[in-house]
Amino acid sequence: MDMSVFDLFKIGIGPSSSHTVGPMVAARRFLIEAGPLDDVVAVESALYGSLALTGVGHGTDKAVILGLMGETPQDINPDLVDAKLAEVEERKEIKLLGAKAVPFTAATGLIFHMNETLPEHPNGMSFTLKRADGSTVHKVFYSVGGGFIRAEGESAATDKGPAAAIPYPFDTMADLLAHGEASGKTIPQMLRANELAKIDEAKLDAGLDRIWHVMRGCIAHGLETAGQLPGGLKVKRRAADLWRQAKGGDRANDLPHDALNGVSLYAMAVNEENAAGGRVVTAPTNGAAGIIPAVLKYYAEDCKPLDPVTGVRNFLLTAAAIGMLCKRNASISGAEVGCQGEVGVACAMAAAGLVAALGGSNAQIENAAEIGIEHHLGMTCDPIGGLVQIPCIERNGMGAVKAITAASLSLKGDGTHFVSLDEVIETMRQTGADMQAKYKETSLGGLAIHVVTVNHAAC
């Protein structure tokens, strides 16, 4: 499979990889591929399915405008987003790719097709340019989860051109295990070898270290930032206050299991940052971005590793392998398979990564990942008010604890287990296919309709 660790871990902004990061990338790509912009007189974008139904709550409208302006998720300063959008509305024009100005407002340039879904994926969007001579350029894109996008008719295999030759090609965990048996190498060693077929070692390690740096910074900022999350639900940020309580010495309300309380708070801190539109790492999605950083911090600080730098790199490489398998053989899109494909996959990635960092065998790594997904099967994606807040933030806290539990169970065994990772991934795919659309990031079912909310779109 032609996928890299840096495809699974993308540095960007919240609140959603599929609804924010993907549409921003798609809008910019559309303009780059459209050709010269000198004679463009108008631009329009239409959102379909889940992108339309929960797009406002997930920041899709803002992301499209920013992408048309030429911004990228990895480079934009989250603190400047509101000012950039306000300038567009004030001037009633947008500078395409930062250069060509055309008339534009969000009200006239964005169309939400709430009752229409495009054929290739629930997260569909289209872009149209009009030129001075009356001709148009029109293209459809799909945001397929985790910040990945595809143009209409473009297969996953052709997303990035021909696959690079790698020493350990794999499409299933069975492939990886067979390579390991034949070569005597661990999963992180094989993933490292695959990456080194594409980039040099210094660049690989610098990239992995950068991911961990951004993750740590996200946790730290989330643990010190209080206040209210945007969007209209008036959700209070809790991680910072709970962290102060945990560090303040008041043990009156502690339970015997509260040693893991910090892990939950790390994850919640990240997802509060995500909900606020802050800088996060897609891991493998923004809605599940807190789980892997939380478990990584637990490893680096609480497990007291002798070589934390190598351990963190092995963690990320192994986690990426699990994410690749899930994306390849099922989905990491909540709009396609529900939250089992986001929180469930992130839990599996974190569990496998932790086992690898602690020196577990390939069989134990597989076992941990399988446990992580198995106990999220059937989880719906039903965000209240279309916002990535409730139940998303707490789900990350719970998912991080589950990942550590899965790793512990695996490490205490010899790797023997009844259900294979490949089987549970296929089960997740089938479960997602059977799941009604109202439970897949549309906010038309589940908690989203059983809790009275304000109209967030008007806030």
Side-chain angles (χ1 to χ4, degrees):
M1 87 175 56
D2 187 29
M3 216 179 299
S4 166
V5 61
F6 302 115
D7 293 326
L8 270 295
F9 297 115
K10 302 182 183 74
I11 297 171
I13 61 171
S16 172
S17 50
S18 62
H19 286 55
T20 311
V21 175
M24 191 186 303
V25 172
R28 183 173 182 271
R29 176 179 158 183
F30 166 70
L31 291 181
I32 291 173
E33 294 178 351
L37 302 177
D38 296 346
D39 62 343
V40 172
V41 296
V43 64
E44 179 182 278
S45 176
L47 305 172
Y48 298 83
S50 177
L51 289 185
L53 289 164
T54 59
V56 173
H58 284 54
T60 309
D61 49 345
K62 299 176 181 179
V64 167
I65 294 170
L66 292 169
L68 292 173
M69 294 169 69
E71 301 288 352
T72 62
Q74 66 271 23
D75 294 324
I76 191 170
N77 184 340
D79 295 332
L80 300 181
V81 166
D82 288 343
K84 289 178 179 291
L85 295 171
E87 184 178 0
V88 171
E89 291 302 306
E90 180 181 345
R91 293 177 177 272
K92 292 183 171 49
E93 71 174 22
I94 188 170
K95 287 188 177 180
L96 302 180
L97 297 182
K100 172 62 177 178
V102 298
F104 184 91
T105 67
T108 59
L110 298 175
I111 302 170
F112 293 79
H113 294 284
M114 303 287 192
N115 299 314
E116 187 176 349
T117 300
L118 297 180
E120 295 182 22
H121 193 278
N123 291 335
M125 68 198 105
S126 68
F127 300 94
T128 304
L129 280 182
K130 184 177 180 181
R131 300 192 184 278
D133 62 3
S135 64
T136 61
V137 180
H138 179 80
K139 198 162 188 178
V140 171
F141 288 90
Y142 295 92
S143 182
V144 297
F148 291 86
I149 64 166
R150 287 206 305 265
E152 184 177 35
E154 185 177 60
S155 71
T158 59
D159 277 0
K160 302 189 305 177
I166 55 178
Y168 302 103
F170 66 98
D171 286 322
T172 65
M173 177 54 80
D175 292 339
L176 262 185
L177 293 175
H179 284 311
E181 185 71 23
S183 67
K185 293 186 179 295
T186 65
I187 288 173
Q189 287 172 338
M190 290 185 286
L191 265 291
R192 172 172 284 273
N194 284 353
E195 293 293 329
L196 293 179
K198 309 166 192 173
I199 59 175
D200 64 55
E201 192 160 34
K203 187 173 182 180
L204 172 61
D205 287 338
L208 294 172
D209 295 345
R210 170 66 175 160
I211 289 168
W212 177 218
H213 174 77
V214 174
M215 287 179 171
R216 284 201 316 269
C218 187
I219 293 173
H221 195 266
L223 290 178
E224 64 184 22
T225 306
Q228 185 173 290
L229 294 173
L233 290 182
K234 300 182 179 179
V235 173
K236 180 182 177 182
R237 296 178 71 137
R238 292 182 291 163
D241 184 52
L242 291 171
W243 183 246
R244 282 192 293 271
Q245 290 180 37
K247 292 299 181 182
D250 181 5
R251 316 296 294 182
N253 295 318
D254 278 5
L255 296 173
H257 65 267
D258 272 2
L260 287 178
N261 186 49
V263 175
S264 296
L265 296 183
Y266 302 155
M268 290 173 62
V270 170
N271 279 82
E272 287 178 353
E273 285 291 290
N274 179 64
R279 174 76 66 217
V280 297
V281 176
T282 298
T285 68
N286 283 24
I291 294 171
I292 288 172
V295 179
L296 258 176
K297 186 174 175 69
Y298 166 82
Y299 162 74
E301 297 185 2
D302 295 311
C303 294
K304 304 190 185 322
L306 294 177
D307 184 1
V309 173
T310 299
V312 167
R313 293 170 181 170
N314 286 341
F315 186 119
L316 290 170
L317 288 165
T318 304
I322 304 305
M324 292 174 192
L325 289 170
C326 292
K327 185 181 186 315
R328 166 69 175 78
N329 297 314
S331 176
I332 57 172
S333 168
E336 197 167 21
V337 296
C339 203
Q340 60 177 351
E342 298 199 39
V343 167
V345 171
C347 177
M349 292 170 67
L354 181 57
V355 170
L358 293 172
S361 68
N362 290 347
Q364 288 172 321
I365 290 170
E366 185 208 10
N367 188 195
E370 183 276 322
I371 293 171
I373 294 182
E374 181 178 334
H375 299 289
H376 285 90
L377 288 175
M379 180 176 278
T380 59
C381 183
D382 51 352
I384 294 175
L387 297 164
V388 194
Q389 297 179 15
I390 304 173
C392 320
I393 294 170
E394 285 184 357
R395 277 186 181 170
N396 276 259
M398 299 301 102
V401 172
K402 279 187 179 182
I404 294 171
T405 302
S408 177
L409 285 170
S410 175
L411 286 168
K412 286 179 169 60
D414 62 3
T416 303
H417 50 286
F418 193 84
V419 180
S420 74
L421 179 61
D422 292 330
E423 289 169 334
V424 82
I425 290 175
E426 173 59 17
T427 302
M428 179 177 71
R429 186 195 67 79
Q430 292 183 16
T431 302
D434 291 340
M435 192 181 290
Q436 294 182 50
K438 67 181 180 179
Y439 297 121
K440 295 192 283 191
E441 212 168 358
T442 59
S443 288
L444 296 176
L447 287 174
I449 64 169
H450 290 108
V451 177
V452 177
T453 66
V454 297
N455 180 4
H456 69 275
C459 297

